[in-house]
Amino acid sequence: LSVLLLLDCLGTLAFALSGALKAARSRCDVFGLVVLAIVTAVGGGTLRDVLLGAHPIFWLAQPGYLLLALLPALLVFLWSRPMARTEQPLAYADAVGLGVFTVIGASKALDHHAGWAGAIVCGCLTGVGGGVLRDLLVREVPFVLQKEVYASATIAGSGLFCILRYVHAPEWLALVGGAALVIVIRTFCIAGGYHLPQPDPPDEPPAAPTPLA
Amino acid sequence: LSVLLLLDCLGTLAFALSGALKAARSRCDVFGLVVLAIVTAVGGGTLRDVLLGAHPIFWLAQPGYLLLALLPALLVFLWSRPMARTEQPLAYADAVGLGVFTVIGASKALDHHAGWAGAIVCGCLTGVGGGVLRDLLVREVPFVLQKEVYASATIAGSGLFCILRYVHAPEWLALVGGAALVIVIRTFCIAGGYHLPQPDPPDEPPAAPTPLA
Amino acid sequence: LSVLLLLDCLGTLAFALSGALKAARSRCDVFGLVVLAIVTAVGGGTLRDVLLGAHPIFWLAQPGYLLLALLPALLVFLWSRPMARTEQPLAYADAVGLGVFTVIGASKALDHHAGWAGAIVCGCLTGVGGGVLRDLLVREVPFVLQKEVYASATIAGSGLFCILRYVHAPEWLALVGGAALVIVIRTFCIAGGYHLPQPDPPDEPPAAPTPLA
């Protein structure tokens, strides 16, 4: 279980870094960096705890998560350009965080008697919620809605976690299996650049405008 | 009461369809369609339950609502252009959903001892909350703030529900009366295209820019 | 304590006015004005109560806060241009509201055993949360992330409040001290126009585009 905690910290750092970099790109001041780093790192788990009614919220019980998220914000404030160059390699740390957050979320939902559908939604929400809040705060369409196999990976992972728990596999196996599935899918898609299909645009394309003269 | 449940399902389907169509217009992938369909359908009730502290949230207790919202997302993914043509006629199904969601929200608030003001706010929130979250996620100013007699209809409906409960009318009468008022107002406004008044723009109009030459 | 209540009402009015004016500038209808006034005035405290699990939410227990926020919305609807001219002088009323909301939030967090980190976060959130929600609803990047010493003042104020409580100062002294610090910092910054530093933009500036001919 201490391995899980270590990976949880790694994921928190990777998520906080992505928030701080997005803040710097949006011309936020130093407070904005800190807020976006914290929101990205703990936002998903906060939404999960609020929906489950799991009080106290996890970072009120363990404020260490907030302190952990401060570190990347500080680094980006001091050295924004070198930190921006770490983003590409850190996509893999982000994938690890996504996998760990997902199974932690699904596991906490089952502990609160949320049922299988609730566990899948909470797993997905814990993984992607922070990124959605981050994108909303800097006024972008949340990228999970548009790009890459990201949220779908968390649904596959929390689904596998639920199946393993349903067949009475030991909890550690379900945690490892679900997280590993997310990480494998993400790594595969980062390396290959795969996307989900989009529907056709629902409206007919407008006719070409008549030239003025 | 089973009529209420049937209308609740109809409203859920209509709300989910509006979310899925908005997602398709915003170039979301298939996961984005599902998320926006679910958020639009259950978002208002979720905000209500979180504010009331009514745990478990209604769709954690009854995951059928989530499955119901998947259906329109699937239809839009497969046949986005034919589905877009159903939007105009479905404005009336949306009006039914708005009325039913409103009185369900107001009724649940009273059950949780929220008082009359709380019941009106919760009725309104249950009706319009899903649409507000949908518009935020695709980065539009929520249309309830700008256009049409939409939220005002829910306030009138939850107000009538509260008055009927206050004079000790039977619950079914209050539910039917409140929902009917919302549906009548909305139908009237859809057919006639009525809007609420806007204030004058608060700043003086800028002087016409001086031409360059 | 009745002084605190009076200042709380003053702050609610000032926050609601800023919400109603922003709604009018975004071409909202009269319902939009009411919603943005209420959201700006009670949004921060609502987020705090939801995170703390402090049910019932404060405005469900005391609906007077909602009625108080209706007044500025009505005034802006009737006389939008004269009200817009009060915005500059009312920045000082806004500073008072920020200070009072901050210490109320930090105090409530301690009452709910949230710990020192939780008290600082809740103090900050109570102060700035309403403004963040207001800016999100009209699709702006929340100004606390980008401009002025605003959120930082609430962190300083709730920090001082926590320190004073930690050394067993009487509660009234901690409340007055924390609020006064926020108000002094804000007044100083409004008068002088001070800002927090921004990091360098994280990406290299693009090379000048080659002219077409």
Side-chain angles (χ1 to χ4, degrees), chain A residues 50-51 53 117-118 121 136 139 141-142 144-146 151 155 196-204, chain B residues 24-32 46 50 55 57 59-60 63 66 80-81 84-85 136-137 139:
Chain A
V50 166
L51 287 182
V121 171
L136 281 183
R139 226 181 38 153
V141 174
V144 294
L145 299 179
Q146 293 190 315
I155 291 178
L196 283 187
Q198 289 182 343
D200 292 329
D203 304 303
E204 313 289 338
Chain B
R25 292 211 172 84
S26 302
R27 315 297 307 130
C28 291
D29 61 24
V30 61
F31 175 79
T46 304
V50 165
H55 294 288
I57 301 292
W59 50 265
L60 285 176
L66 301 179
S80 61
R81 285 182 193 173
R85 277 196 287 276
L136 281 183
L137 283 174
R139 226 183 37 155

mmCIF file of all heavy atoms in Angstrom, chain A residues 50-51 53 117-118 121 136 139 141-142 144-146 151 155 196-204, chain B residues 24-32 46 50 55 57 59-60 63 66 80-81 84-85 136-137 139:
data_model
loop_
_atom_site.group_PDB
_atom_site.id
_atom_site.type_symbol
_atom_site.label_atom_id
_atom_site.label_comp_id
_atom_site.label_asym_id
_atom_site.label_seq_id
_atom_site.Cartn_x
_atom_site.Cartn_y
_atom_site.Cartn_z
ATOM 1 N N VAL A 50 -17.340 15.212 -2.434
ATOM 2 C CA VAL A 50 -18.571 15.987 -2.266
ATOM 3 C C VAL A 50 -19.770 15.175 -2.744
ATOM 4 O O VAL A 50 -20.806 15.112 -2.074
ATOM 5 C CB VAL A 50 -18.469 17.325 -3.024
ATOM 6 C CG1 VAL A 50 -19.836 17.975 -3.161
ATOM 7 C CG2 VAL A 50 -17.520 18.266 -2.303
ATOM 8 N N LEU A 51 -19.641 14.501 -3.902
ATOM 9 C CA LEU A 51 -20.763 13.707 -4.410
ATOM 10 C C LEU A 51 -21.071 12.532 -3.490
ATOM 11 O O LEU A 51 -22.232 12.181 -3.280
ATOM 12 C CB LEU A 51 -20.452 13.180 -5.817
ATOM 13 C CG LEU A 51 -20.494 14.226 -6.923
ATOM 14 C CD1 LEU A 51 -20.217 13.585 -8.259
ATOM 15 C CD2 LEU A 51 -21.840 14.928 -6.951
ATOM 16 N N GLY A 53 -20.566 12.531 -0.365
ATOM 17 C CA GLY A 53 -20.824 12.975 1.007
ATOM 18 C C GLY A 53 -19.787 12.429 1.968
ATOM 19 O O GLY A 53 -20.085 12.168 3.128
ATOM 20 N N ALA A 117 -22.190 1.326 -10.792
ATOM 21 C CA ALA A 117 -22.238 2.492 -11.670
ATOM 22 C C ALA A 117 -21.587 3.693 -10.987
ATOM 23 O O ALA A 117 -20.807 4.430 -11.595
ATOM 24 C CB ALA A 117 -23.688 2.818 -12.047
ATOM 25 N N GLY A 118 -21.881 3.863 -9.701
ATOM 26 C CA GLY A 118 -21.267 4.959 -8.952
ATOM 27 C C GLY A 118 -19.760 4.834 -8.891
ATOM 28 O O GLY A 118 -19.039 5.837 -8.973
ATOM 29 N N VAL A 121 -18.318 5.962 -12.263
ATOM 30 C CA VAL A 121 -18.381 7.413 -12.400
ATOM 31 C C VAL A 121 -17.365 8.088 -11.472
ATOM 32 O O VAL A 121 -16.645 9.004 -11.883
ATOM 33 C CB VAL A 121 -19.802 7.928 -12.098
ATOM 34 C CG1 VAL A 121 -19.829 9.435 -12.022
ATOM 35 C CG2 VAL A 121 -20.776 7.433 -13.154
ATOM 36 N N LEU A 136 -11.717 24.800 -17.197
ATOM 37 C CA LEU A 136 -12.814 25.754 -17.037
ATOM 38 C C LEU A 136 -12.301 27.089 -16.498
ATOM 39 O O LEU A 136 -12.719 28.145 -16.951
ATOM 40 C CB LEU A 136 -13.867 25.211 -16.067
ATOM 41 C CG LEU A 136 -14.834 24.192 -16.616
ATOM 42 C CD1 LEU A 136 -15.842 23.818 -15.539
ATOM 43 C CD2 LEU A 136 -15.568 24.753 -17.819
ATOM 44 N N ARG A 139 -10.820 29.082 -19.032
ATOM 45 C CA ARG A 139 -11.765 29.337 -20.112
ATOM 46 C C ARG A 139 -11.431 28.581 -21.382
ATOM 47 O O ARG A 139 -11.442 29.143 -22.470
ATOM 48 C CB ARG A 139 -11.805 30.845 -20.410
ATOM 49 C CG ARG A 139 -13.192 31.364 -20.543
ATOM 50 C CD ARG A 139 -13.154 32.812 -20.861
ATOM 51 N NE ARG A 139 -12.083 33.161 -21.745
ATOM 52 C CZ ARG A 139 -12.102 34.190 -22.570
ATOM 53 N NH1 ARG A 139 -13.123 34.994 -22.591
ATOM 54 N NH2 ARG A 139 -11.083 34.464 -23.340
ATOM 55 N N VAL A 141 -12.470 24.826 -23.515
ATOM 56 C CA VAL A 141 -13.322 23.649 -23.501
ATOM 57 C C VAL A 141 -12.480 22.514 -22.937
ATOM 58 O O VAL A 141 -11.380 22.255 -23.421
ATOM 59 C CB VAL A 141 -13.816 23.290 -24.915
ATOM 60 C CG1 VAL A 141 -14.584 21.982 -24.888
ATOM 61 C CG2 VAL A 141 -14.702 24.390 -25.455
ATOM 62 N N PRO A 142 -12.975 21.848 -21.853
ATOM 63 C CA PRO A 142 -12.151 20.804 -21.221
ATOM 64 C C PRO A 142 -11.669 19.798 -22.251
ATOM 65 O O PRO A 142 -12.454 19.270 -23.035
ATOM 66 C CB PRO A 142 -13.120 20.173 -20.221
ATOM 67 C CG PRO A 142 -14.073 21.248 -19.877
ATOM 68 C CD PRO A 142 -14.243 22.042 -21.146
ATOM 69 N N VAL A 144 -10.701 16.830 -22.111
ATOM 70 C CA VAL A 144 -11.161 15.433 -22.089
ATOM 71 C C VAL A 144 -12.399 15.249 -22.952
ATOM 72 O O VAL A 144 -12.714 14.145 -23.361
ATOM 73 C CB VAL A 144 -11.517 14.940 -20.665
ATOM 74 C CG1 VAL A 144 -10.291 14.878 -19.803
ATOM 75 C CG2 VAL A 144 -12.593 15.760 -20.027
ATOM 76 N N LEU A 145 -13.131 16.347 -23.212
ATOM 77 C CA LEU A 145 -14.327 16.207 -24.034
ATOM 78 C C LEU A 145 -13.981 16.103 -25.513
ATOM 79 O O LEU A 145 -14.790 15.670 -26.312
ATOM 80 C CB LEU A 145 -15.257 17.408 -23.822
ATOM 81 C CG LEU A 145 -15.774 17.594 -22.402
ATOM 82 C CD1 LEU A 145 -16.650 18.822 -22.337
ATOM 83 C CD2 LEU A 145 -16.559 16.369 -21.948
ATOM 84 N N GLN A 146 -12.798 16.534 -25.881
ATOM 85 C CA GLN A 146 -12.506 16.650 -27.301
ATOM 86 C C GLN A 146 -11.389 15.776 -27.811
ATOM 87 O O GLN A 146 -11.397 15.362 -28.962
ATOM 88 C CB GLN A 146 -12.161 18.121 -27.615
ATOM 89 C CG GLN A 146 -13.344 19.032 -27.449
ATOM 90 C CD GLN A 146 -13.056 20.399 -27.989
ATOM 91 O OE1 GLN A 146 -11.995 20.946 -27.739
ATOM 92 N NE2 GLN A 146 -13.992 20.956 -28.717
ATOM 93 N N ALA A 151 -10.338 10.091 -20.791
ATOM 94 C CA ALA A 151 -11.393 9.697 -19.860
ATOM 95 C C ALA A 151 -11.809 8.251 -20.101
ATOM 96 O O ALA A 151 -12.111 7.517 -19.161
ATOM 97 C CB ALA A 151 -12.584 10.630 -20.009
ATOM 98 N N ILE A 155 -12.453 4.988 -17.525
ATOM 99 C CA ILE A 155 -13.658 4.152 -17.434
ATOM 100 C C ILE A 155 -13.287 2.680 -17.573
ATOM 101 O O ILE A 155 -13.779 1.832 -16.822
ATOM 102 C CB ILE A 155 -14.678 4.583 -18.508
ATOM 103 C CG1 ILE A 155 -15.220 5.962 -18.145
ATOM 104 C CG2 ILE A 155 -15.804 3.583 -18.627
ATOM 105 C CD1 ILE A 155 -16.189 6.525 -19.133
ATOM 106 N N LEU A 196 -10.377 9.285 -30.090
ATOM 107 C CA LEU A 196 -11.699 8.686 -30.228
ATOM 108 C C LEU A 196 -12.391 9.290 -31.445
ATOM 109 O O LEU A 196 -12.108 10.428 -31.822
ATOM 110 C CB LEU A 196 -12.553 8.973 -28.996
ATOM 111 C CG LEU A 196 -12.291 8.165 -27.738
ATOM 112 C CD1 LEU A 196 -13.363 8.501 -26.711
ATOM 113 C CD2 LEU A 196 -12.311 6.678 -28.026
ATOM 114 N N PRO A 197 -13.327 8.535 -32.047
ATOM 115 C CA PRO A 197 -14.052 9.103 -33.199
ATOM 116 C C PRO A 197 -15.015 10.200 -32.758
ATOM 117 O O PRO A 197 -15.532 10.194 -31.650
ATOM 118 C CB PRO A 197 -14.830 7.898 -33.750
ATOM 119 C CG PRO A 197 -14.996 6.976 -32.581
ATOM 120 C CD PRO A 197 -13.753 7.156 -31.741
ATOM 121 N N GLN A 198 -15.226 11.181 -33.647
ATOM 122 C CA GLN A 198 -16.214 12.238 -33.434
ATOM 123 C C GLN A 198 -17.416 11.958 -34.324
ATOM 124 O O GLN A 198 -17.273 11.349 -35.380
ATOM 125 C CB GLN A 198 -15.641 13.603 -33.835
ATOM 126 C CG GLN A 198 -14.569 14.131 -32.906
ATOM 127 C CD GLN A 198 -14.099 15.496 -33.348
ATOM 128 O OE1 GLN A 198 -14.329 15.893 -34.485
ATOM 129 N NE2 GLN A 198 -13.442 16.213 -32.475
ATOM 130 N N PRO A 199 -18.614 12.437 -33.927
ATOM 131 C CA PRO A 199 -19.753 12.316 -34.835
ATOM 132 C C PRO A 199 -19.605 13.337 -35.957
ATOM 133 O O PRO A 199 -18.796 14.263 -35.880
ATOM 134 C CB PRO A 199 -20.944 12.668 -33.946
ATOM 135 C CG PRO A 199 -20.371 13.596 -32.926
ATOM 136 C CD PRO A 199 -18.953 13.124 -32.684
ATOM 137 N N ASP A 200 -20.389 13.155 -37.018
ATOM 138 C CA ASP A 200 -20.444 14.194 -38.050
ATOM 139 C C ASP A 200 -20.954 15.476 -37.427
ATOM 140 O O ASP A 200 -21.730 15.444 -36.473
ATOM 141 C CB ASP A 200 -21.442 13.786 -39.149
ATOM 142 C CG ASP A 200 -20.935 12.601 -39.922
ATOM 143 O OD1 ASP A 200 -19.708 12.465 -40.049
ATOM 144 O OD2 ASP A 200 -21.768 11.790 -40.368
ATOM 145 N N PRO A 201 -20.548 16.633 -37.934
ATOM 146 C CA PRO A 201 -21.137 17.866 -37.415
ATOM 147 C C PRO A 201 -22.637 17.830 -37.658
ATOM 148 O O PRO A 201 -23.081 17.475 -38.759
ATOM 149 C CB PRO A 201 -20.449 18.972 -38.213
ATOM 150 C CG PRO A 201 -19.790 18.309 -39.357
ATOM 151 C CD PRO A 201 -19.559 16.887 -38.972
ATOM 152 N N PRO A 202 -23.473 18.177 -36.621
ATOM 153 C CA PRO A 202 -24.911 17.940 -36.747
ATOM 154 C C PRO A 202 -25.623 18.886 -37.697
ATOM 155 O O PRO A 202 -26.755 18.624 -38.066
ATOM 156 C CB PRO A 202 -25.419 18.131 -35.323
ATOM 157 C CG PRO A 202 -24.389 18.942 -34.655
ATOM 158 C CD PRO A 202 -23.089 18.683 -35.330
ATOM 159 N N ASP A 203 -24.995 19.979 -38.092
ATOM 160 C CA ASP A 203 -25.692 20.900 -38.987
ATOM 161 C C ASP A 203 -25.059 20.832 -40.368
ATOM 162 O O ASP A 203 -23.862 20.624 -40.513
ATOM 163 C CB ASP A 203 -25.620 22.322 -38.425
ATOM 164 C CG ASP A 203 -26.185 22.359 -37.018
ATOM 165 O OD1 ASP A 203 -27.348 21.969 -36.853
ATOM 166 O OD2 ASP A 203 -25.439 22.729 -36.088
ATOM 167 N N GLU A 204 -25.862 21.031 -41.396
ATOM 168 C CA GLU A 204 -25.344 21.051 -42.746
ATOM 169 C C GLU A 204 -24.317 22.174 -42.847
ATOM 170 O O GLU A 204 -24.481 23.227 -42.250
ATOM 171 C CB GLU A 204 -26.483 21.332 -43.739
ATOM 172 C CG GLU A 204 -27.726 20.489 -43.508
ATOM 173 C CD GLU A 204 -27.496 19.028 -43.884
ATOM 174 O OE1 GLU A 204 -26.586 18.767 -44.679
ATOM 175 O OE2 GLU A 204 -28.213 18.158 -43.363
ATOM 176 N N ALA B 24 -21.959 17.627 -29.889
ATOM 177 C CA ALA B 24 -21.619 17.351 -31.286
ATOM 178 C C ALA B 24 -21.291 18.652 -32.019
ATOM 179 O O ALA B 24 -20.363 18.708 -32.830
ATOM 180 C CB ALA B 24 -22.781 16.633 -31.976
ATOM 181 N N ARG B 25 -22.034 19.731 -31.696
ATOM 182 C CA ARG B 25 -21.755 21.024 -32.330
ATOM 183 C C ARG B 25 -20.416 21.582 -31.901
ATOM 184 O O ARG B 25 -19.818 22.385 -32.608
ATOM 185 C CB ARG B 25 -22.845 22.039 -31.956
ATOM 186 C CG ARG B 25 -24.189 21.710 -32.541
ATOM 187 C CD ARG B 25 -25.003 22.950 -32.833
ATOM 188 N NE ARG B 25 -26.197 22.523 -33.558
ATOM 189 C CZ ARG B 25 -27.305 22.073 -32.968
ATOM 190 N NH1 ARG B 25 -27.390 22.063 -31.662
ATOM 191 N NH2 ARG B 25 -28.323 21.667 -33.696
ATOM 192 N N SER B 26 -19.943 21.194 -30.698
ATOM 193 C CA SER B 26 -18.661 21.711 -30.189
ATOM 194 C C SER B 26 -17.510 20.790 -30.549
ATOM 195 O O SER B 26 -16.443 20.896 -29.956
ATOM 196 C CB SER B 26 -18.734 21.885 -28.678
ATOM 197 O OG SER B 26 -19.781 22.752 -28.327
ATOM 198 N N ARG B 27 -17.701 19.884 -31.496
ATOM 199 C CA ARG B 27 -16.642 18.997 -31.961
ATOM 200 C C ARG B 27 -16.105 18.119 -30.847
ATOM 201 O O ARG B 27 -14.888 17.906 -30.750
ATOM 202 C CB ARG B 27 -15.476 19.769 -32.591
ATOM 203 C CG ARG B 27 -15.844 20.857 -33.527
ATOM 204 C CD ARG B 27 -16.592 20.412 -34.779
ATOM 205 N NE ARG B 27 -15.924 19.350 -35.513
ATOM 206 C CZ ARG B 27 -16.550 18.235 -35.904
ATOM 207 N NH1 ARG B 27 -17.804 18.011 -35.594
ATOM 208 N NH2 ARG B 27 -15.904 17.329 -36.580
ATOM 209 N N CYS B 28 -16.977 17.619 -29.945
ATOM 210 C CA CYS B 28 -16.529 16.683 -28.923
ATOM 211 C C CYS B 28 -16.439 15.290 -29.521
ATOM 212 O O CYS B 28 -17.115 14.970 -30.511
ATOM 213 C CB CYS B 28 -17.510 16.653 -27.750
ATOM 214 S SG CYS B 28 -17.497 18.175 -26.797
ATOM 215 N N ASP B 29 -15.629 14.415 -28.889
ATOM 216 C CA ASP B 29 -15.592 13.022 -29.317
ATOM 217 C C ASP B 29 -16.736 12.272 -28.640
ATOM 218 O O ASP B 29 -17.565 12.857 -27.945
ATOM 219 C CB ASP B 29 -14.228 12.393 -29.001
ATOM 220 C CG ASP B 29 -13.912 12.404 -27.525
ATOM 221 O OD1 ASP B 29 -14.849 12.453 -26.715
ATOM 222 O OD2 ASP B 29 -12.726 12.363 -27.177
ATOM 223 N N VAL B 30 -16.783 10.959 -28.813
ATOM 224 C CA VAL B 30 -17.932 10.194 -28.319
ATOM 225 C C VAL B 30 -18.006 10.247 -26.799
ATOM 226 O O VAL B 30 -19.098 10.287 -26.216
ATOM 227 C CB VAL B 30 -17.871 8.737 -28.840
ATOM 228 C CG1 VAL B 30 -16.623 8.025 -28.374
ATOM 229 C CG2 VAL B 30 -19.100 7.962 -28.413
ATOM 230 N N PHE B 31 -16.864 10.312 -26.113
ATOM 231 C CA PHE B 31 -16.910 10.437 -24.663
ATOM 232 C C PHE B 31 -17.505 11.780 -24.243
ATOM 233 O O PHE B 31 -18.289 11.866 -23.298
ATOM 234 C CB PHE B 31 -15.509 10.284 -24.065
ATOM 235 C CG PHE B 31 -15.496 10.534 -22.588
ATOM 236 C CD1 PHE B 31 -15.923 9.557 -21.707
ATOM 237 C CD2 PHE B 31 -15.081 11.745 -22.086
ATOM 238 C CE1 PHE B 31 -15.932 9.788 -20.341
ATOM 239 C CE2 PHE B 31 -15.088 11.991 -20.724
ATOM 240 C CZ PHE B 31 -15.504 11.007 -19.851
ATOM 241 N N GLY B 32 -17.136 12.843 -24.977
ATOM 242 C CA GLY B 32 -17.708 14.149 -24.680
ATOM 243 C C GLY B 32 -19.225 14.155 -24.831
ATOM 244 O O GLY B 32 -19.933 14.786 -24.038
ATOM 245 N N THR B 46 -28.155 16.981 -9.182
ATOM 246 C CA THR B 46 -26.938 16.758 -8.408
ATOM 247 C C THR B 46 -26.591 17.994 -7.587
ATOM 248 O O THR B 46 -26.286 17.882 -6.389
ATOM 249 C CB THR B 46 -25.774 16.415 -9.363
ATOM 250 O OG1 THR B 46 -26.153 15.296 -10.153
ATOM 251 C CG2 THR B 46 -24.516 16.110 -8.597
ATOM 252 N N VAL B 50 -26.423 18.078 -3.511
ATOM 253 C CA VAL B 50 -25.204 18.494 -2.809
ATOM 254 C C VAL B 50 -25.509 19.667 -1.877
ATOM 255 O O VAL B 50 -25.079 19.696 -0.722
ATOM 256 C CB VAL B 50 -24.100 18.867 -3.825
ATOM 257 C CG1 VAL B 50 -22.978 19.628 -3.157
ATOM 258 C CG2 VAL B 50 -23.563 17.613 -4.488
ATOM 259 N N HIS B 55 -27.579 12.923 0.865
ATOM 260 C CA HIS B 55 -26.790 11.787 0.395
ATOM 261 C C HIS B 55 -27.533 10.502 0.679
ATOM 262 O O HIS B 55 -28.194 10.390 1.706
ATOM 263 C CB HIS B 55 -25.427 11.793 1.087
ATOM 264 C CG HIS B 55 -24.592 12.976 0.702
ATOM 265 N ND1 HIS B 55 -24.009 13.121 -0.534
ATOM 266 C CD2 HIS B 55 -24.292 14.100 1.381
ATOM 267 C CE1 HIS B 55 -23.366 14.275 -0.583
ATOM 268 N NE2 HIS B 55 -23.530 14.888 0.566
ATOM 269 N N ILE B 57 -26.605 10.966 -3.363
ATOM 270 C CA ILE B 57 -27.097 11.658 -4.550
ATOM 271 C C ILE B 57 -28.059 10.749 -5.315
ATOM 272 O O ILE B 57 -27.853 9.546 -5.359
ATOM 273 C CB ILE B 57 -25.873 11.987 -5.436
ATOM 274 C CG1 ILE B 57 -24.879 12.865 -4.680
ATOM 275 C CG2 ILE B 57 -26.269 12.629 -6.752
ATOM 276 C CD1 ILE B 57 -25.360 14.243 -4.392
ATOM 277 N N TRP B 59 -28.660 9.824 -8.329
ATOM 278 C CA TRP B 59 -28.240 8.854 -9.351
ATOM 279 C C TRP B 59 -27.247 7.850 -8.787
ATOM 280 O O TRP B 59 -26.931 6.854 -9.448
ATOM 281 C CB TRP B 59 -27.690 9.534 -10.589
ATOM 282 C CG TRP B 59 -26.651 10.580 -10.371
ATOM 283 C CD1 TRP B 59 -26.856 11.922 -10.273
ATOM 284 C CD2 TRP B 59 -25.251 10.385 -10.217
ATOM 285 N NE1 TRP B 59 -25.670 12.566 -10.066
ATOM 286 C CE2 TRP B 59 -24.667 11.659 -10.031
ATOM 287 C CE3 TRP B 59 -24.419 9.256 -10.210
ATOM 288 C CZ2 TRP B 59 -23.293 11.831 -9.829
ATOM 289 C CZ3 TRP B 59 -23.053 9.433 -10.027
ATOM 290 C CH2 TRP B 59 -22.514 10.712 -9.835
ATOM 291 N N LEU B 60 -26.716 8.071 -7.575
ATOM 292 C CA LEU B 60 -25.969 6.994 -6.925
ATOM 293 C C LEU B 60 -26.952 5.966 -6.373
ATOM 294 O O LEU B 60 -26.679 4.762 -6.372
ATOM 295 C CB LEU B 60 -25.086 7.539 -5.793
ATOM 296 C CG LEU B 60 -23.820 8.269 -6.243
ATOM 297 C CD1 LEU B 60 -23.087 8.850 -5.056
ATOM 298 C CD2 LEU B 60 -22.902 7.316 -7.012
ATOM 299 N N PRO B 63 -28.989 4.252 -10.384
ATOM 300 C CA PRO B 63 -28.123 4.482 -11.553
ATOM 301 C C PRO B 63 -28.870 4.422 -12.879
ATOM 302 O O PRO B 63 -28.290 4.738 -13.917
ATOM 303 C CB PRO B 63 -27.095 3.348 -11.462
ATOM 304 C CG PRO B 63 -27.226 2.793 -10.094
ATOM 305 C CD PRO B 63 -28.631 3.041 -9.658
ATOM 306 N N LEU B 66 -28.489 7.351 -15.183
ATOM 307 C CA LEU B 66 -27.291 7.449 -16.018
ATOM 308 C C LEU B 66 -27.480 6.664 -17.314
ATOM 309 O O LEU B 66 -27.119 7.133 -18.398
ATOM 310 C CB LEU B 66 -26.063 6.922 -15.265
ATOM 311 C CG LEU B 66 -25.718 7.639 -13.954
ATOM 312 C CD1 LEU B 66 -24.503 6.987 -13.317
ATOM 313 C CD2 LEU B 66 -25.457 9.107 -14.208
ATOM 314 N N SER B 80 -26.177 11.980 -36.279
ATOM 315 C CA SER B 80 -26.197 13.324 -35.709
ATOM 316 C C SER B 80 -27.105 14.268 -36.489
ATOM 317 O O SER B 80 -27.805 15.083 -35.895
ATOM 318 C CB SER B 80 -24.783 13.885 -35.625
ATOM 319 O OG SER B 80 -24.210 13.983 -36.905
ATOM 320 N N ARG B 81 -27.141 14.166 -37.835
ATOM 321 C CA ARG B 81 -27.951 15.138 -38.566
ATOM 322 C C ARG B 81 -29.450 14.898 -38.444
ATOM 323 O O ARG B 81 -30.196 15.833 -38.186
ATOM 324 C CB ARG B 81 -27.512 15.198 -40.030
ATOM 325 C CG ARG B 81 -26.195 15.956 -40.085
ATOM 326 C CD ARG B 81 -25.652 16.147 -41.452
ATOM 327 N NE ARG B 81 -24.263 16.589 -41.335
ATOM 328 C CZ ARG B 81 -23.447 16.717 -42.359
ATOM 329 N NH1 ARG B 81 -23.845 16.448 -43.583
ATOM 330 N NH2 ARG B 81 -22.213 17.126 -42.166
ATOM 331 N N ALA B 84 -30.460 16.163 -35.056
ATOM 332 C CA ALA B 84 -30.489 17.615 -34.913
ATOM 333 C C ALA B 84 -31.816 18.174 -35.395
ATOM 334 O O ALA B 84 -32.300 19.184 -34.879
ATOM 335 C CB ALA B 84 -29.332 18.248 -35.698
ATOM 336 N N ARG B 85 -32.437 17.492 -36.389
ATOM 337 C CA ARG B 85 -33.719 17.997 -36.892
ATOM 338 C C ARG B 85 -34.862 17.768 -35.910
ATOM 339 O O ARG B 85 -35.921 18.357 -36.048
ATOM 340 C CB ARG B 85 -34.042 17.340 -38.239
ATOM 341 C CG ARG B 85 -33.343 18.046 -39.401
ATOM 342 C CD ARG B 85 -33.936 17.665 -40.722
ATOM 343 N NE ARG B 85 -33.562 16.293 -41.099
ATOM 344 C CZ ARG B 85 -32.413 15.971 -41.705
ATOM 345 N NH1 ARG B 85 -31.542 16.905 -41.989
ATOM 346 N NH2 ARG B 85 -32.142 14.727 -42.018
ATOM 347 N N LEU B 136 -21.479 25.794 -19.548
ATOM 348 C CA LEU B 136 -20.150 26.116 -19.031
ATOM 349 C C LEU B 136 -19.101 25.199 -19.636
ATOM 350 O O LEU B 136 -18.010 25.646 -19.995
ATOM 351 C CB LEU B 136 -20.114 25.962 -17.509
ATOM 352 C CG LEU B 136 -20.714 27.095 -16.691
ATOM 353 C CD1 LEU B 136 -20.525 26.807 -15.213
ATOM 354 C CD2 LEU B 136 -20.040 28.421 -17.054
ATOM 355 N N LEU B 137 -19.417 23.902 -19.751
ATOM 356 C CA LEU B 137 -18.419 22.944 -20.225
ATOM 357 C C LEU B 137 -18.042 23.193 -21.679
ATOM 358 O O LEU B 137 -16.922 22.910 -22.079
ATOM 359 C CB LEU B 137 -18.931 21.503 -20.062
ATOM 360 C CG LEU B 137 -18.867 20.965 -18.635
ATOM 361 C CD1 LEU B 137 -19.530 19.610 -18.547
ATOM 362 C CD2 LEU B 137 -17.419 20.851 -18.169
ATOM 363 N N ARG B 139 -18.139 26.181 -22.917
ATOM 364 C CA ARG B 139 -17.630 27.545 -22.915
ATOM 365 C C ARG B 139 -18.583 28.536 -23.565
ATOM 366 O O ARG B 139 -18.178 29.372 -24.362
ATOM 367 C CB ARG B 139 -16.280 27.582 -23.640
ATOM 368 C CG ARG B 139 -15.258 28.356 -22.892
ATOM 369 C CD ARG B 139 -13.989 28.428 -23.666
ATOM 370 N NE ARG B 139 -14.189 28.546 -25.068
ATOM 371 C CZ ARG B 139 -13.321 29.081 -25.915
ATOM 372 N NH1 ARG B 139 -12.175 29.513 -25.461
ATOM 373 N NH2 ARG B 139 -13.561 29.158 -27.194
#
